[in-house]
Amino acid sequence: MSDSLNVSRRKFMIGGLATAVAAGAGLLTGCSAQAAAPQTPSASENWDAEADVVVVGFGCAGGGAAVSAAEAGASVLVLESLPIPGGTTRVSGGALWVPANPLQKKEGIPDSIEEGRQYIMKGNDGQVDEELIDAYLENGPQIVEFLMSKLNIEFKFGYPDYHPEWPGGKRLGRSISPSYNGKGSGEALMAALYDYALAKGVKFALNSHAKKLIKDDSGKITGVIAYQDSKEIRVKANKGVVLATGGFEWDKSLLKTYQRGPVDASVVFNPGSGGGIYGCGDGLRMAMEAGADLRNMNESWGLMVYLLPGWEDEVANYRQNAKDYKKSTWKTIIGDWFLWRGKPGTIVVNKEGKRFMNEACDYDTSAYPFYERDTFGENRWRNLPAFVIADSVQWGKYGIAGAKGDNVPDYITKADTLAELAQKLGIDAQGLEATVAEFNKYASQTPPTDPHFHRGESYFDRLASGDYAMAQADPENPACTLAPLAKGPYYGIQIHSGNCGTCGGARINAKAQVIDVHGNVIPGLYAAGNAAGLGGPGITYHGPGNPVAGGVIFGYLAGLDAAQKV
């Protein structure tokens, strides 16, 4: 195992950031077969390696756990399933969403823990353990300060809260984007965590896929069984094991069991990174086998995706080559990161030709309306599939799914009239024409309005989803996202439900300790990030960087508590 301990900083940085357009996708046909699951071992068996704290996975949660445990004086070993550390976080935007953070204080932007709590509570309808909200809010600012002062990460302000009009919401300051050593986004965050972990003596075992927890006769978790290049290794954890393995977005069986409805594609930020390739729910299964209670299992970080011709074959190729980031490419699944659906002159409709959502909302919120059930007629998901429709003005200026202008790719349907477009896409033509007429009546007003779905009323709609230049010039004008579909030809493409990671898992407390089905702490076991039943906390994605911040914060708390065990 010693040959794979640590990894050069140069190798860690290979690959760089993916563009949002070239987002990759998880293969939803179940995870590839691994070595046979071992039998439950005895705690007295020989060990191949040993550390005070064993961290399983090195994304944002594993990084937070590794540095806090090492900072507290514990020896730390990271078991990372990929050939390079960083996980999906490494190729994400890498922002942290933290109310009352030090950067806000420095710049004189008013915020408070109480306002943050008010905002988080609004979006959860009671579906969250309030101690997790308190832990997130009370520890977040101090952990950001730690990242700034000890790891030398610099931050700048990003986008507004996803719902800044809610009580306690903010237009600026809570989402902060990192830079470090000439790098930005998630690459900067993970490079800083990795460099600091190395400096504090953390060891890394790469290509090491954890499969089973080891417990002693008292029920305490004492170690992990993993496979390194198909060879079984047994790692002793003197003080604790932190599960930071990510979600289960790659496992079709788990998605079918726990998600609220069909998931056409689980998107990871960059197939070349290998990020998400082992998001098969192994951490979830290990926690369940240890007796963990579960939380938030029907939730995910939602996203709408475009599935272009050949996507199934390319997913299979990606799955085969994902461990080799030099071979993996991706072109045929595109996440709607750029919120094309929210640009002026665009709507989203179902097969009946009816709108069913605020097209300019954030991408997590956009996933919820898909799962409306028709309980009278065909007893189906009413809004699956759905379609993005645009007129020629929108197409020429903004486009859809990475395409615009004179060159219309085969995956975009073009027609001179709405009725012809509906016929080609399989949409009810009368329904679409009626919907566009109704939409145009209000979108043509000065200022334009959307009485049915309130598009353009939120500051987020206007600044993030609409025409950015228009929003900068007049941030209160909904015309930056609302305009009639008035001029043919018209363009359309089917859009699908998806996610960029599940966010349910083992139930944890404010110290990130895993709780069993009877409400008791499972000694020696922690979980953080998408492996934990944490969410944002809860069921709402509160703002850009919410998942990454939750991972870092609760990973940090897990590592710190484990390191302090006697």
Side-chain angles (χ1 to χ4, degrees), residues 78 81 145 225 265 269 303 333 335 382 439 445 511:
V78 174
S81 60
E145 182 63 41
I225 291 178
F269 290 94
L303 181 68
I333 291 188
R382 176 174 286 138
F439 179 82
Q445 295 177 350
K511 296 179 179 180

Side-chain angles (χ1 to χ4, degrees), residues 254-263 296-302 364 367-373 381 539:
L254 290 175
L255 289 174
K256 183 177 180 180
T257 300
Y258 290 111
Q259 293 289 281
R260 63 168 48 85
V263 179
N296 226 42
M297 292 298 292
N298 65 338
E299 297 298 332
S300 63
W301 309 113
D364 183 61
Y368 283 93
F370 275 107
Y371 301 115
E372 177 187 352
R373 194 76 175 165
W381 298 107
I539 65 174

Side-chain angles (χ1 to χ4, degrees), residues 269-507:
F269 290 94
N270 176 16
S273 72
I277 184 65
Y278 286 131
C280 294
D282 286 331
L284 171 65
R285 289 188 173 93
M286 286 189 283
M288 292 172 67
E289 190 173 14
D293 197 4
L294 303 179
R295 286 290 187 274
N296 226 42
M297 292 298 292
N298 65 338
E299 297 298 332
S300 63
W301 309 113
L303 181 68
M304 300 169 80
V305 296
Y306 304 94
L307 302 178
L308 310 188
W311 73 272
E312 291 171 305
D313 291 339
E314 192 143 35
V315 166
N317 178 65
Y318 167 40
R319 179 65 189 179
Q320 182 177 355
N321 293 306
K323 288 179 101 174
D324 187 343
Y325 52 84
K326 295 178 181 178
K327 292 182 180 179
S328 296
T329 60
W330 197 257
K331 299 178 181 178
T332 59
I333 291 188
I334 300 177
D336 193 41
W337 307 108
F338 289 118
L339 306 176
W340 291 287
R341 54 183 162 76
K343 298 296 185 284
T346 313
I347 58 173
V348 175
V349 300
N350 58 21
K351 290 186 70 174
E352 299 169 0
K354 297 179 179 179
R355 292 177 66 215
F356 58 90
M357 64 179 298
N358 167 11
E359 294 91 346
C361 68
D362 65 275
Y363 53 81
D364 183 61
T365 301
S366 74
Y368 283 93
F370 275 107
Y371 301 115
E372 177 187 352
R373 194 76 175 165
D374 175 4
T375 58
F376 175 73
E378 298 180 13
N379 192 31
R380 61 175 177 85
W381 298 107
R382 176 174 286 138
N383 300 324
L384 290 172
F387 305 85
V388 178
I389 309 295
D391 76 347
S392 60
V393 176
Q394 193 277 2
W395 176 259
K397 192 170 184 178
Y398 312 106
I400 308 169
K404 68 176 183 177
D406 294 336
N407 296 320
V408 183
D410 292 341
Y411 59 82
I412 298 292
T413 299
K414 177 182 177 181
D416 291 333
T417 67
L418 287 170
E420 181 186 358
L421 184 70
Q423 189 274 328
K424 289 182 176 181
L425 290 172
I427 302 172
D428 180 87
Q430 290 185 338
L432 178 61
E433 289 178 325
T435 293
V436 171
E438 176 77 359
F439 179 82
N440 287 353
K441 179 174 68 173
Y442 294 102
S444 300
Q445 295 177 350
T446 304
T449 62
D450 177 19
H452 300 297
F453 297 99
H454 307 284
R455 176 171 163 182
E457 294 180 17
S458 171
Y459 179 73
F460 179 88
D461 293 1
R462 301 189 295 272
L463 184 73
S465 297
D467 183 300
Y468 186 74
M470 291 176 64
Q472 287 289 301
D474 185 0
E476 305 305 319
N477 187 354
C480 59
T481 184
L482 279 171
L485 283 72
K487 183 179 180 180
Y490 298 92
Y491 301 82
I493 185 175
Q494 190 170 144
I495 194 167
H496 299 258
S497 65
N499 68 57
C500 50
T502 58
C503 57
R507 176 187 171 193

